[in-house]
Amino acid sequence: MKSDIQFLTTPTADTPGTSLLLHFDSKRYIIGNVHEGLQRSLIQRGKKLSKVTDIFLTGKTEWKNTGGLIGIILTLADTLRSAAASTAEHTKLSKWKRESEESLSTKLSKGKVKDEGNVQDEPLKPAKPTLTIHGSPNVTHTLATARRFVFRKGMPVDVNEIREERGTEEWRPTWYDENIKVWAMSVEPDTALMQTQSQTTRKRSFHDFMELTSDSPLPSTMDGIEDLRLAEQDLHDQQIRKGVLSHMFNSDWRLDALFETPLEQVNMPATVFIRDPETRKIEQYSGPMPGGIEPLPKINVLVRRPWPGALIAHLPPTKPTHTALSYIIRNHLQRGKFQPQKAVALGVPKGPLFSELTSGRSVTSKDGKTVLPEQVLGPSKPGGGLAVVELPSDAYVQNLLTRNEWKVPTIIEGVEAIVWILGTGVINNQNLRGFMAELSHVKHIVSSEDCCSNYLSLDSAAAAELRLHQIDSERYPIPIHNNQPTLTPQNYSHDSEAVKQWIPAQRGLQIELEPAVTVQESLVVPPLDTAKVLRDVPKDALYLAKAIKHQISSETMQRELDAQNLPSPESEIIFLGTGSALPSKYRNVSGTLLRVPGSGSYLFDAGENTLGQLSRIYTHEELLEVIRDLRMIWISHLHADHHLGITSIIKAWYKAVYGDNYVENVSTKVSLTEQLIDPAKVMLEQRRLFIASDQAMNHWLAEYASVEDFGFDKLVTLNIWAAKPGKPESTRMEWNGAPVGFNTIFPKLNQAMRTATGFIKLAAANVPHCHGSKGVAVTFPSGFKFAYSGDCRPSRSFTEIGKGATVLLHEATFDDELRGDAQAKLHSTTSEAIGVGIAMGARRVLLTHFSQRYQKLPVMDGLSGQDLELEDEKDASVEDSMAPVDTGELPARHKSIGEMVEDDSTLTDLLAPARQKPVRDRTEDDSPIADILTPYRSNPDSRPSSPRITKVKTTRHKPANDMKIGVAFDYMRVKVKDIALLEKFTPALLKLYDQAPQYDSDAKSDEGESMGARNERINREKTKIGGGKMGRVRQSEGERKAVRRGVGLFDNHAKREERRAT
């Protein structure tokens, strides 16, 4: 059976680890690091996850190696669910088509159905997909910490933590299936091993004691009894973690499901319902409640079943592990070639029995004798294999090299390649070099920062940035990269034999395991040809950009820029991710850095691989300066695409400020008592990083801190409660239960907060999106005010706290034609986001968080004037707080019941200079959004109500006279004073994306069409149907409705096609 293993990633800024894909026709296996950025790299390469059943994690359990695991699991679960839904739909359509082709009389005559009412869908019973993750201790704990924001159905996830040394009697595999056998090698560092031996003997596990026979004496010492108690506790704790994991990925829980229980057994607080005995309708119960003073009636009531994950308030504690895991992986024994002449001689007739013997099964000959496969097959050969070894540092080398597995023929036979995943400098270890020389017949492939170049692993995003750089080099820097590795086999040694010892790992490098172990370099993906990308930028776009730059450099424009009168005009906003939901080839998930001179650096959301994005913008020295200057990270809500990069950022800050080898001791560690008594003193005595978010976010960080020391003890974790309506100063903050803030009754504390954070005020508002979602506005001593929406519908409370903002950064997930999608998914459209800026009186508005359907340039021609609905998020119910944040399903369709907020001027007027075309007066025919809302305006009672939305008084807002609007791209750097220049480049950007060639190896859909080409085709076809606004002719009411129906049908088709391609 043919099989191979291919390098998906090697260490770069975008992909800080090494990951491999083992390929069989029936299955796929991921081996190595599941690091941040892996998911995006897979999308770039067009690699699908649908056949991945097992993940073998190498190295230690730390975020560097597991930071992409949650994202991979979520994507895999959603992919499998979409595939199952697509299969079910296809089956139903095929059945309907098959039946419709036959006439009713023919079907009746054949007895298939008696009437149409008896036609039923055939039940579909697809095999439930499963995923098994193999790794060192604490993998289960790492995943279980995400229970508050991860929930998927129908994909059981099992974790096989390799904790114990197996017996050496038979050297049986640690794990095997129908394709491979795996021997795991757990390695401890020398320093940890010596420390363990000097302090105590190894503690036996619970399983060690379970293996005692009835004749074996029980442990008689106190140490033995303590070992047994600890082993039992460890087993119990692990069962709790596994139970949480099962609920996260294989639960039938539903938020809207009610269960019946006696009223006296209801745990309060809770929302209680009762069924009317006459109408049988469910109504909210309003009688006496448990815990009250009134006697309770003896009745059964209905309550929502809480999310099981939320019932575990705290996971059992764990400790960091230094165990590094490696694997020896081999194919099964390959049977010899079938020899038909021997079978005939033994009396086996030609035909099916030959196939049975070839498959390894015995048969009976003509004369009744049993013929064994060994009698008719040639000599078998051991299955091809390789070892995947991770050595984080020199401390692991000797213990790995002296393991007995290297000397056991039943394990090592057939292993003809070793993949070395090495920490910095380990390649120079003399013992390792000697080991490679000793196994000179084995192919050694080395993956490390020393031996692999920092190439641009995300070709599409890099090519897009290079093209943008040609249009506006001030705002779009060339991503930092280096295609030359520090160390190569040639400069590694002058000895010609030593040069042959190892091969540098490269993206796409493939090792064939069967029929023979060979290294194939033909599939290596070459680095992006940056020079060609720069040369091939369309001439028309360059010409426009040159003219725009000339206009900007004129004295008139410079006088306008100087007269803006903006506070902190040199403050800079750096976009690290401008996409939504999940990473794509062109846009990373949410992350924005704000640098304010004299105050510090601030990060607003930190999606996966935020640190990698920073590493492409800044040199190593510059990055250290930025990280050291970091004062606060704001996480708007707990959706995974907004915070899975925060751990890497905190760890980078911790190392930059305190050094690689810093160890907290009794003299430097601050106790909780000290922090509660004098928080101001603790804030100022040592450098600390503020994390501001909902309390569930900080709880996640606290639980993960027991897995590795990433700097949690140096954080100030602020739990934020939103301001009351109309009172921005009422925002409440707590640090470990102690009230803190900028306007408390303690002047010393207020001043400490201002000194430590660099700003004088922070106001937060609940916004309509998910439980715990908040918008924020921060004000600096200079008067500079920055407002950030996070993900939300247009929010009245957010508008209040952001009044007079210098810069508003607002999500604009959808264009205006998809306003229904925005309402359903609790996001905003471009016009709605700009409308919030108008209502807020913001001086500058930047749009971000675009749907990944807008792979390159978001839709810009939908910025026409429209009425704006401002919504308010009420305090969440108890059930909301007990529900997971990310369920992978759409929220209930969300329509506002607020009054319209009308705008005195159209948004088209605001963008007229950039669009460079006359704007006609708005008419009823030009407002499809008005058409959609007409039934609600004429009959308010027909509008669906929502308990989470409050009415807003009708208000008229005027835009600031000089309000400027900009659209964000990944890697974009813009100073506050230069935001006004962004719209000037719009014509050049439109021309650039209209003519730009493709340089990246686009992921292919099932039909072989590239994702980029498919999106462009969909946009063209959609415009033909009538979805586009540019150049649209006047239509009648009936024509417009027909167009909208057509666009809606096409959008549904496009979404199904997009899911299938994904």
Side-chain angles (χ1 to χ4, degrees), residues 19 53 70 151 169 171 263 352 372 428 441 510 579 583 652 746 762 767 794 881 978 1035:
S19 185
T53 60
I70 294 174
F151 173 73
E169 294 81 6
W171 291 105
L263 177 60
L372 302 177
N428 296 316
H441 63 285
Q510 182 171 293
F746 305 105
L762 183 149
V767 294
S881 64
D978 294 333
Q1035 296 173 316

Side-chain angles (χ1 to χ4, degrees), residues 82 99 123 144 157 177 180 202 213 248 267 273 302 328 350 377 404 438 489 529 545 574 590 627 723 808 821 847 919:
S82 298
E99 291 180 348
V157 173
D177 67 358
I180 58 175
R202 183 181 73 86
T213 64
M248 288 171 63
N267 294 322
F273 300 89
L302 301 171
I328 295 175
K350 294 182 180 180
L377 297 177
N404 290 327
E438 184 179 344
D529 189 345
I574 300 95
S590 295
I627 293 296
L808 164 65
D821 288 48
L847 306 180
V919 181

